[in-house]
Amino acid sequence: MIKFVSSNRHKFEEIDEILRKNGIESTWINLKYEEVQEDSIEKISWESCNRLTSKIGSNFFLEDSGILIEALNWFPGPYSSYIQRTIGNEGILKLLEGKKRNATFVTVISYWDGEQIMQFKGKTEGVIANSIFHGRDFGYDPIFIPEGKSKTASLLSIEEKNEVSQRGKAMIRFIEYLKNA
Ligand code: ITT
């Protein structure tokens, strides 16, 4: 049994789909922890995990994710949550009018096994769509088209998204580690 700490139901649905497929049971700890403001997704993920070790006990993981948009000098990255809450997907589309649309989505998992923190990263290249496509409306998914797909991540099933997403890739690395540990 492994614990996943997050306030985000969509994240849990995605990680649970992959863990189940690999025969691993998980419990969702629905907790909004305070995120340190750091300039990298790795640091935020690591520090958030480190602060929870005494509270949650062993065998838990969490992850921090962010979208990096080339035409915005790779912003918002570690500020993705704030930008989503403020200008949102509509604001991003406005900023990108007439600009290059490449973007990279990153997820960094931090796992506390009771002794140390280990990190597993996943990255997915993609493009920002020209408009918002509602479906499974998780964060930037209504405007993010992952490489190899012809529609936004919001229009993919959880399984389809996991096959190409930053979170899916980070999870595969993490599961590989768990199986060999
Ligand atoms: P936690 O409690 O796990 O921290 P959160 O929603 O605050 O949940 P993050 O800080 O990692 O998660 O996410 C930063 C922003 O990126 C936030 O607005 C999310 O909705 C969005 N996001 C994260 N993963 C995403 C994904 O796979 N697809 C689309 N948007 C995503």
Side-chain angles (χ1 to χ4, degrees):
M1 174 68 73
I2 190 159
K3 294 175 245 178
F4 176 63
V5 182
S6 173
S7 63
N8 191 317
R9 170 178 300 277
H10 299 294
K11 283 190 183 180
F12 178 67
E13 286 170 358
E14 292 176 18
I15 69 107
D16 190 49
E17 193 269 338
I18 305 192
L19 286 172
R20 266 173 204 279
K21 232 184 219 168
N22 284 276
I24 301 169
E25 254 189 80
S26 65
T27 314
W28 178 25
I29 305 206
N30 182 356
L31 177 75
K32 183 70 209 155
Y33 51 87
E34 203 187 323
E35 273 179 16
V36 279
Q37 197 59 74
E38 288 274 6
D39 59 6
S40 86
I41 292 167
E42 282 85 354
K43 280 193 218 162
I44 296 172
S45 178
W46 198 93
E47 199 46 53
S48 302
C49 184
N50 193 37
R51 287 178 177 199
L52 289 176
T53 53
S54 54
K55 194 169 175 184
I56 310 283
S58 61
N59 280 331
F60 80 86
F61 72 107
L62 52 76
E63 56 100 306
D64 194 61
S65 296
I67 191 164
L68 297 93
I69 301 173
E70 189 176 356
L72 305 179
N73 289 331
W74 305 111
F75 190 74
Y79 310 101
S80 294
S81 190
Y82 179 69
I83 291 301
Q84 181 62 226
R85 278 200 312 273
T86 52
I87 66 170
N89 290 334
E90 260 174 56
I92 296 278
L93 291 184
K94 280 212 185 92
L95 286 174
L96 288 188
E97 272 169 22
K99 303 231 166 79
K100 213 175 158 189
R101 309 193 77 82
N102 297 48
T104 305
F105 230 123
V106 174
T107 290
V108 180
I109 291 172
S110 294
Y111 171 57
W112 169 248
D113 68 357
E115 282 176 12
Q116 55 175 331
I117 293 173
M118 273 154 288
Q119 291 196 310
F120 306 87
K121 186 171 176 173
K123 234 186 193 187
T124 293
E125 308 293 334
V127 292
I128 303 296
N130 289 316
S131 54
I132 295 173
F133 292 88
H134 292 292
R136 184 169 169 267
D137 284 4
F138 170 10
Y140 294 90
D141 279 354
I143 57 164
F144 183 68
I145 306 175
E147 199 172 51
K149 296 283 174 189
S150 53
K151 48 189 173 186
T152 56
S154 57
L155 298 175
L156 302 175
S157 67
I158 290 175
E159 201 177 358
E160 283 170 331
K161 181 180 168 188
N162 275 339
E163 281 164 13
V164 294
S165 77
Q166 62 287 350
R167 181 166 299 103
K169 290 174 189 166
M171 284 301 295
I172 292 297
R173 297 199 172 112
F174 179 35
I175 289 166
E176 219 32 58
Y177 168 81
L178 289 175
K179 283 186 173 166
N180 294 314

